[in-house]
């Protein structure tokens, strides 16, 4: 429902399946467990126990309630899972489950307003809802004292909704969902799913249509449809409620009875439980679309998520394409170099799951190349189906899967974590702790088990594009809740208390920062270097990010495949990343394997091989990534914007993704990487951060062993030009042509002081009121009032030096000019006719202060906070000062910051869309000089 702000980086591909659909979770299988013919233990993980303690009870109205106690932070995750999704939609009503999800956020009879408003004000996080084939869920994580508010809102929209649903709300959300569909359809490969579902499922199958639905069916949705849908499916007996976090069952039960006990059970329902349409012959289709490369999709319908075979097929996916040593990666990417990437995955659903292999050909691949790749794919599959997986292959897949499960269970809720696992286990298998069964199945699976499941299901034809009796004893119970009194009072909020931060200095002078978190047996390690994309200045663009990505592509003593294999055996994850200012190399290690994982990590950081062979392999995939950026609206804008606002000589004047240009990557050499490594990735330019299941003395010893003898080079550290950039005198407009695009990405940009500046918190708060939240002015106008876009936001993009402030929205093409005018109006009014109000500031202060207790729930949260503080030169206890700083913030300061930094003057407007349809209207607005660039930033007529 709520747009992810990471959309502005083009890093999140929204599935057409849901408003904000999380990745498929491997939480499936219920069939009895046959004996393995050849057991393959999951390496060092065989002794790890995966178990989620919980208590379950059912209200007299049929509502199933699951409670999991986790006291590591004073927050509670609330998840409401309705057993209804797009598979329950009749003909002519496609997209209705998802549309109804949107409507559920627009208020109920006793709180007729945007649900996000009170949830944000109490410090809620992970506020969202999703819809898919089998279920619709709503969730939020709130501070413990605010739990009553969340329960009131969830119960009010479950039992007291229809009186607040109006034709105006319905019409508005139809427009929003249709724009979400346009946005998804305009993405590269955005229309693939429609063809896949029709190719895989016969007429009458519940999965034959997409969850997003059709434009026509959405337009025809009526108010009577809303009421009938709600009455049929949104009853208590069709729902699972999960409370996870700072709560126990004894506390939860009276609260749930109070808020949910008077809600009716709902109608008796008939449900399809299984329908796996196995193909006897292959079906192959071809689609022509505006995409940067050829992609092969090969898909099978396989058992639903309540079947053991589904989980064995998940292991098969790991063997086939789960890493550099997997069969398909080796043959298609590593050896033949025909493909830029290959993946395999099992998507679990209730009545049938999907097993899919995806091959991304390199850009420019010829028909002969595609034919060769298909032949290789056929050969690998034939050999695998005949001989099955090898023991070592299966062991790696088991380790990777179980390690992923362990890591995924630290969080209490949101898009994943324990709350989701409990809900899905109950909803689909009748067992909240079903994840333990799944892990046991996987850990004990033998090669013969996986081979048989593979032959039974993916040995059949493929598609290439590539009901329980109604319980009549249900009843409601009387409660003393008076909903007319409105929202419950919120108790006193706890202050943010950071875990103890310990510091030390290694023998070579490197700083070590440690935070102990003994929640799961995992240790996170990060090396942060003062480098980043800004270090590309004077070098070939993309060098920083490319060098970091090459670190694990082989060392002086290990090949890339040996590095990958050792990491897989250890269950370790080594990754690298960069942003404008810093570069990071990170390790996630299982505690029993920490020493060996650190040895591998240090080898990767200190002794990269940068072999020409691996460089060329990565280069092909890198160029494919740049091509992908240049095919998508927001990434196109962010590739061009920095050069426009910073000018040619500034260190930030690089494509915002840091990927470089095709020209620079094509000419990148080993010497370029070696020089960058020597100049920037050095011990006197780095800090080591450790967070997790480890003590202080143990951490010092381990890190000292890995990095204590690493000596700095004699040459001085390089400098980066982060000087102040003068604002342009007038506004300007740049149009980048994207023919036939159904949306125009409208972006306004200017420079403001850096994230570490003294007044940055005030500026960020001023921005949040204008456009930084779902309920902020820009989004409430363009999305919620007009329905012209799926999202509309403004944001300050983090940077040490002057940073970009941007306002942005993908607006349907025929409303581009109107949408741009509304965006400009909101910006102008904010510093003139309608400045920030006391009520807006109070709401934002409440939102920010009340969210602080949940800001450090996971080890990843803590690590991220440490790295950010290091990047911007802030004390490590920076977050503990925020409550006082927010509390003392006054309206004069907010208005002054807006007047100083957010006036609509000196704006650079970048519009990425169909020039033929938008140019005249944009020119008529008279915003400033209009020019035209191509996707590489080159001038065009």
């Amino acid at each position: 429902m709520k747009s992810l702000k990471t959309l502005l980086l083009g890093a999140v591909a929204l599935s057409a399946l849901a408003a904000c659909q999380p990745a498929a979770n491997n939480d499936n299988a219920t069939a009895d467990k046959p004996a393995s013919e050849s057991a393959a233990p999951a390496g060092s993980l065989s002794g790890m126990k995966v178990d989620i303690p919980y208590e379950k009870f059912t209200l007299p109205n049929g509502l199933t309630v699951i409670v999991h106690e986790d006291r590591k932070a004073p927050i509670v995750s609330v998840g409401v899972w309705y057993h209804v999704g797009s598979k329950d939609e009749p003909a002519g009503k496609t997209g209705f489950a998802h549309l109804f999800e949107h409507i559920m956020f627009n208020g109920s009879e006793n709180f007729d307003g945007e649900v996000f408003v009170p949830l944000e004000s109490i410090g809620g996080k992970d506020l969202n809802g999703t819809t898919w084939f089998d279920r619709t869920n709503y969730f939020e994580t709130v501070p413990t004292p605010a739990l009553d508010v969340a329960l009131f809102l969830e119960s009010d929209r479950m039992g007291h909704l229809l009186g607040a649903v109006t034709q105006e709300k319905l019409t508005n959300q139809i427009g929003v969902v249709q724009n979400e569909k346009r946005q998804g359809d305009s993405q590269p490969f955005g229309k693939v799913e429609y063809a896949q579902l029709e190719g895989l499922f016969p007429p009458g199958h519940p999965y034959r249509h997409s969850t997003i639905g059709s434009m026509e069916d959405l337009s025809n949705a009526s108010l009577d449809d809303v009421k009938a849908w709600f009455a049929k499916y949104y009853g208590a007996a069709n729902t699972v409620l999960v409370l996870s976090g700072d709560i126990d069952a004894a506390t939860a039960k009276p609260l749930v009875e109070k808020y949910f006990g008077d809600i009716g059970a709902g109608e008796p329902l008939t449900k399809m439980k299984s329908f796996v349409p196995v193909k006897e012959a292959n079906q192959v289709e071809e689609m022509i679309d505006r995409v940067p490369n050829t992609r092969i999709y090969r898909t099978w319908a396989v058992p639903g998520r309540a079947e053991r075979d589904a989980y064995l097929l998940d292991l098969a996916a790991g063997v086939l394409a789960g890493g550099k040593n997997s069969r398909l990666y080796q043959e298609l990417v590593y050896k033949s170099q025909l493909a830029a990437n290959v993946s395999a995955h099992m998507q679990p659903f209730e009545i049938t799951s999907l097993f899919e292999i995806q091959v991304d050909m390199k850009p420019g691949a010829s028909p002969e190349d595609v034919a060769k790749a298909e032949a290789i794919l056929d050969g690998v599959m034939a050999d695998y189906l005949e001989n099955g997986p090898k023991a070592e292959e299966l062991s790696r897949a088991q380790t990777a899967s179980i390690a992923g499960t362990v890591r995924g269970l630290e969080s209490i809720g949101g898009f994943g974590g324990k709350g989701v696992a409990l809900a899905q286990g109950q909803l689909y298998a009748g067992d909240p702790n079903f994840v333990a069964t799944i892990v046991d199945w996987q850990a004990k699976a033998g090669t013969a088990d996986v081979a048989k499941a593979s032959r039974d299901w993916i040995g059949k034809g493929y598609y290439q594009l590539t009901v329980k009796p109604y319980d009549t004893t249900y009843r409601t119970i009387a409660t003393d809740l008076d909903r007319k009194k409105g929202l419950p009072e919120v108790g006193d909020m706890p202050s943010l208390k950071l875990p103890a931060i310990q510091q030390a200095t290694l023998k070579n002078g490197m700083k070590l920062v440690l935070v102990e978190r003994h929640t799961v047996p995992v240790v996170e390690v990060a090396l942060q270097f003062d480098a980043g994309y800004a270090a590309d200045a004077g070098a070939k663009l993309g060098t920083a990010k490319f060098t970091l990505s090459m670190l694990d592509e082989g060392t002086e003593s290990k090949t890339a495949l040996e590095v990958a294999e050792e990491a897989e055996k250890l269950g370790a994850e080594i990754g690298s990343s960069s942003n404008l200012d810093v570069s990071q190399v990170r390790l996630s290690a299982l505690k029993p394997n920490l020493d060996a994982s650190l040895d591998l990590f240090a080898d990767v950081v200190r002794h990269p091989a940068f072999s020409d062979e691996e460089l060329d392999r990565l280069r092909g995939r890198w160029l494919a990534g740049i091509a992908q950026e240049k095919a998508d609206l927001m990434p196109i804008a962010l590739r061009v914007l920095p050069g426009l606002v910073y000018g040619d000589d500034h260190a930030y004047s690089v494509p915002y993704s840091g990927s470089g240009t095709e020209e620079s990557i094509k000419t990148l050499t080993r010497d370029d990487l070696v020089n960058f490594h020597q100049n920037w990735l050095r011990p006197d330019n780095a800090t080591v951060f450790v967070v997790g299941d480890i003590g202080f003395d143990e951490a010092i010893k381990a890190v000292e062993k890995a990095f204590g003898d690493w000596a700095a080079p004699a040459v001085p550290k390089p400098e980066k030009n982060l000087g102040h950039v003068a604002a342009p005198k007038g506004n300007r407009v740049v149009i980048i042509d994207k023919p036939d695009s159904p949306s125009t990405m409208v972006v306004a940009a200017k420079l403001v002081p850096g994230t570490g500046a003294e007044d940055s918190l005030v500026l960020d708060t001023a921005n949040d009121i204008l456009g930084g939240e779902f309920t902020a002015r820009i989004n409430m106008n363009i999305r919620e009032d007009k329905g012209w876009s799926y999202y509309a936001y403004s944001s300050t993009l983090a940077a040490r030096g002057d940073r970009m402030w941007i306002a942005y929205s993908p607006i349907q093409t025929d409303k581009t000019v109107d949408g741009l005018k509304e965006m400009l109006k909101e910006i102008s009014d904010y510093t003139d006719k309608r400045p920030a109000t006391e009520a807006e500031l109070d709401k934002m202060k409440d939102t920010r202060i009340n969210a602080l207790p949940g800001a450090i729930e996971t080890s990843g949260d803590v690590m991220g906070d440490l790295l950010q503080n290091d990047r911007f030169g802030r004390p490590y206890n920076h977050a503990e000062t925020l409550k006082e700083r927010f509390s003392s913030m006054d309206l004069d300061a907010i208005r002054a910051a807006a007047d100083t930094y957010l006036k609509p003057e000196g704006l650079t407007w970048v519009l990425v869309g169909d020039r033929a349809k938008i140019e005249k209207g944009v020119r008529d607005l008279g915003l400033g000089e209009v020019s035209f660039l191509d996707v590489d930033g080159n001038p065009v007529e």
Side-chain angles (χ1 to χ4, degrees):
M1 170 69 183
K2 189 176 181 183
S3 175
L4 301 179
K5 294 185 184 177
T6 44
L7 277 170
L8 66 92
L9 302 183
V12 174
L14 286 182
S15 168
L17 285 173
C20 282
Q21 182 58 48
N25 286 287
N26 294 326
D27 59 356
N28 28 332
T30 55
D32 290 336
K33 178 172 51 179
S36 291
E37 295 178 29
S38 53
S44 61
L45 304 184
S46 58
M48 293 186 68
K49 180 177 176 58
V50 177
D51 181 67
I52 309 175
Y54 70 92
E55 293 189 54
K56 182 175 77 170
F57 56 89
T58 304
L59 296 192
N61 60 5
L63 178 68
T64 299
V65 185
I66 301 166
V67 182
H68 165 67
E69 183 177 357
D70 182 341
R71 303 287 188 178
K72 68 175 179 289
I75 54 177
V76 181
S77 170
V78 180
V80 184
W81 292 67
Y82 297 90
H83 204 162
V84 57
S86 60
K87 76 175 190 305
D88 302 293
E89 296 163 347
K93 305 295 182 184
T94 65
F96 201 79
H98 176 226
L99 173 62
F100 192 81
E101 177 218 316
H102 277 245
I103 293 170
M104 287 278 279
F105 283 93
N106 288 157
S108 51
E109 294 170 358
N110 301 288
F111 184 82
D112 193 5
E114 291 285 345
V115 174
F116 287 117
V117 173
L119 290 175
E120 289 174 349
S121 70
I122 63 175
K125 67 171 186 172
D126 297 329
L127 320 175
N128 223 312
T130 75
T131 309
W132 217 343
F133 290 130
D134 307 309
R135 88 294 182 276
T136 306
N137 68 319
Y138 304 85
F139 52 92
E140 56 273 342
T141 299
V142 299
T144 308
L147 178 59
D148 283 62
V149 173
L151 295 179
F152 180 97
L153 292 168
E154 290 291 358
S155 63
D156 209 60
R157 61 180 172 184
M158 179 190 293
H160 307 271
L161 179 77
L162 295 184
V165 179
T166 65
Q167 185 63 52
E168 180 182 1
K169 290 180 181 179
L170 175 60
T171 301
N172 174 264
Q173 290 305 318
I174 288 173
V176 169
V177 172
Q178 288 179 329
N179 273 301
E180 180 180 354
K181 178 178 171 64
R182 290 186 184 99
Q183 178 73 7
D185 290 355
S186 69
Q187 302 291 324
F189 308 104
K191 300 175 183 177
V192 164
E193 184 194 41
Y194 307 137
Q196 284 182 307
L197 297 181
E198 291 190 2
L200 283 162
F201 302 115
H205 195 287
Y207 293 171
R208 185 171 168 86
H209 67 271
S210 70
T211 299
I212 199 72
S214 75
M215 286 291 193
E216 180 181 3
D217 288 355
L218 288 167
S219 295
N220 292 335
S222 70
L223 206 55
D224 287 340
D225 292 328
V226 170
K227 295 178 179 180
W229 185 270
F230 179 80
K232 185 171 184 177
Y233 292 111
Y234 275 68
N238 197 39
T239 310
V240 174
L241 169 66
V242 177
L243 302 177
S244 177
D246 186 23
I247 192 170
D248 52 43
T251 303
K253 188 170 184 178
L255 287 174
V256 176
E257 291 176 337
K258 174 182 178 180
Y259 289 106
F260 292 84
D262 66 339
I263 297 172
E267 298 180 9
L269 300 172
T270 300
K271 297 190 177 187
M272 183 178 292
K273 305 304 291 181
S274 179
F275 184 176
V276 185
V278 177
K279 288 184 176 295
E280 296 303 323
N282 300 331
Q283 179 180 341
V284 179
E285 289 187 29
E286 182 179 278
M287 174 188 289
I288 306 299
D289 202 357
R290 293 180 181 272
V291 294
N293 62 286
T294 297
R295 180 180 288 177
I296 302 169
Y297 295 86
R298 185 171 291 187
T299 316
W300 293 260
V302 299
R305 63 193 310 155
E307 299 293 333
R308 177 174 178 265
D309 272 2
Y311 231 77
L312 299 185
L313 290 171
D314 185 60
L315 294 177
V319 171
L320 287 168
K324 294 177 182 177
N325 290 285
S326 64
R327 298 188 182 193
L328 288 171
Y329 188 95
Q330 279 283 295
E331 297 300 325
L332 287 167
V333 180
Y334 200 81
K335 294 179 182 178
S336 70
Q337 300 189 47
L338 290 167
N341 193 31
V342 61
S343 63
H345 50 278
M346 201 284 299
Q347 301 179 68
F349 299 109
E350 187 173 13
I351 62 178
T352 181
S353 300
L354 298 179
F355 186 101
E356 181 178 280
I357 295 172
Q358 179 178 305
V359 181
D360 274 298
M361 301 297 296
K362 289 185 176 180
S366 67
E368 292 78 11
D369 290 336
V370 176
K372 289 177 184 177
E374 287 187 282
I376 291 173
L377 173 57
D378 291 338
V380 171
M381 290 301 296
D383 177 74
Y384 171 75
L385 291 169
E386 180 179 355
N387 300 305
K390 297 176 181 178
E392 62 268 27
E393 291 176 309
L394 179 57
S395 180
R396 286 199 303 266
Q398 289 167 314
T399 299
S401 180
I402 295 172
T405 299
V406 170
R407 290 190 175 97
L409 294 178
E410 183 180 13
S411 175
I412 58 173
F415 280 106
K418 292 177 283 191
V420 171
L422 290 167
Q424 290 177 325
Q426 174 63 36
L427 203 68
Y428 303 119
D431 176 9
N433 201 27
F434 195 60
V435 65
T437 299
I438 294 166
V439 171
D440 185 63
W441 282 351
Q442 281 206 322
K444 294 179 180 178
T447 56
D449 299 317
V450 177
K452 182 179 185 302
S454 299
R455 295 186 190 108
D456 287 347
W457 297 105
I458 61 176
K460 305 290 178 65
Y462 55 76
Y463 170 81
Q464 181 169 309
L465 179 77
T466 293
V467 166
K468 294 180 181 177
Y470 180 66
D471 192 338
T472 58
T473 64
Y474 287 143
R475 59 184 175 84
T476 63
I477 59 174
T479 78
D480 59 357
L481 176 65
D482 184 356
R483 295 182 181 273
K484 301 303 180 183
K485 293 181 178 180
L487 295 175
E489 293 292 328
V490 176
D492 294 335
M493 290 290 178
S495 297
L496 174 65
K497 180 62 178 177
L498 291 171
I501 299 170
Q502 305 171 78
Q503 301 186 56
T505 302
L506 303 185
K507 293 176 182 178
N508 63 352
M510 287 180 69
K511 291 190 300 180
L512 168 65
V513 181
L514 170 71
V515 172
E516 298 184 35
R517 293 295 294 265
H518 303 284
T519 53
V520 292
V522 176
V523 179
E524 308 285 344
V525 182
L527 272 172
Q528 180 153 285
F529 300 92
D530 184 4
Y533 309 152
D536 281 349
K540 297 171 182 176
L541 296 184
T543 300
K545 190 172 184 178
F546 198 101
T547 302
L548 270 289
S549 296
M550 279 289 293
L551 292 180
D552 64 348
E553 297 290 347
T555 69
E556 294 173 359
S557 60
K558 295 180 179 67
T559 67
L561 298 181
E562 289 170 339
V563 171
E565 182 175 18
E566 185 169 347
E568 290 169 359
K569 289 178 179 178
L570 295 169
E573 295 179 354
I574 297 175
S576 61
S577 64
S578 291
N579 52 48
L580 282 175
D581 302 307
V582 296
S583 297
Q584 304 165 355
V585 192
R586 297 180 66 163
L587 165 71
S588 178
L590 299 170
K591 181 61 181 295
N593 299 338
L594 177 60
D595 288 342
S597 298
L598 265 175
D599 289 343
L600 179 62
F601 181 60
D603 193 27
V604 164
V605 173
R606 298 175 59 178
H607 310 119
F610 296 134
S611 75
D612 288 325
E613 183 180 8
E614 296 299 342
L615 191 156
D616 287 338
R617 285 195 178 93
L618 180 58
R619 192 196 317 272
R621 304 196 298 274
W622 204 274
L623 291 172
I626 293 176
Q628 186 76 30
E629 289 179 17
K630 291 164 63 175
D632 205 351
L633 301 182
M634 192 62 182
I636 291 173
L638 289 175
R639 288 185 63 83
V640 173
L641 259 177
L644 295 173
V645 298
Y646 286 107
D648 294 335
D649 297 327
H650 199 278
Y652 289 167
S653 186
V654 298
Y656 192 74
S657 66
S659 60
T661 66
E662 287 157 326
E663 179 183 1
S664 64
I665 297 303
K666 286 177 180 178
T667 61
L668 205 59
T669 67
R670 183 181 187 277
D671 287 344
D672 295 323
L673 307 188
V674 170
N675 289 336
F676 186 91
H677 183 267
Q678 292 176 343
N679 289 331
W680 295 98
L681 307 187
R682 44 197 283 175
D684 57 340
N685 196 40
T687 301
V688 187
F689 297 87
V690 180
V691 178
D693 188 20
I694 190 171
F696 185 61
D697 293 338
E698 184 182 4
I700 294 176
K701 180 180 178 181
V703 177
E704 191 77 67
K705 176 177 177 291
F707 295 104
D709 62 346
W710 189 14
V715 296
K717 292 183 290 186
E719 299 291 334
K720 294 178 284 190
N721 174 23
L722 303 183
H724 174 68
V725 179
K729 295 182 179 180
N731 297 332
R732 52 184 168 173
V733 180
V734 174
I735 296 177
I736 300 174
D737 192 18
K738 190 74 164 58
D740 298 327
S741 177
S743 301
T744 302
M745 183 58 71
V746 177
V747 186
K750 65 188 302 185
L751 294 181
V752 298
T755 306
E758 184 177 349
D759 59 353
S760 65
L761 189 66
V762 177
L763 171 56
D764 290 343
T765 305
N767 169 76
D768 288 343
I769 294 171
L770 174 61
E773 294 290 327
F774 181 89
T775 54
R777 295 184 179 190
I778 296 176
N779 192 61
M780 294 304 289
N781 181 340
I782 296 175
R783 169 181 161 140
E784 291 298 283
D785 182 46
K786 305 298 190 304
W788 294 339
S789 176
Y790 182 47
Y791 61 87
Y793 287 105
S794 64
S795 177
T796 50
L797 307 185
R800 278 181 183 162
D802 290 349
R803 53 183 170 154
M804 285 195 293
W805 172 85
I806 63 173
Y808 57 99
S809 180
I811 300 173
Q812 65 189 71
T813 297
D814 63 333
K815 295 296 183 181
T816 296
V817 174
D818 293 333
L820 193 156
K821 288 166 63 177
E822 290 299 321
M823 182 181 289
L824 180 60
K825 174 179 176 293
E826 292 293 347
I827 299 171
S828 299
D829 287 355
Y830 193 53
T831 57
D832 187 13
K833 300 177 182 178
R834 293 194 305 126
T837 66
E838 199 73 54
E840 288 176 315
L841 176 57
D842 288 345
K843 172 186 175 296
M844 195 55 59
K845 288 163 67 172
D846 287 344
T847 297
R848 295 293 176 257
I849 292 172
N850 295 340
L852 290 174
I856 55 168
E857 179 197 356
T858 67
S859 297
D861 294 335
V862 176
M863 179 65 83
D865 185 61
L866 294 173
L867 295 173
Q868 285 287 79
N869 290 331
D870 180 71
R871 175 184 178 186
F872 300 120
R874 303 184 300 216
Y876 291 124
N877 69 338
H878 169 76
E880 289 182 332
T881 72
L882 293 177
K883 183 176 182 179
E884 174 58 31
R885 294 176 66 190
F886 278 120
S887 297
S888 61
M889 199 177 289
D890 60 36
L891 191 60
D892 288 341
I894 295 296
R895 290 179 173 180
D899 288 342
T900 302
Y901 301 119
L902 302 183
K903 283 183 176 294
E905 300 167 355
L907 288 175
T908 296
W909 292 88
V910 173
L911 284 67
V912 186
D914 192 329
R915 175 180 174 179
K917 296 178 181 177
I918 66 175
E919 178 182 350
K920 182 181 183 304
V922 172
R923 284 188 181 276
D924 292 345
L925 287 177
L927 292 176
E929 179 185 356
V930 179
S931 60
F932 305 91
L933 300 177
D934 63 19
V935 294
D936 293 310
N938 301 311
V940 296
E941 292 297 328

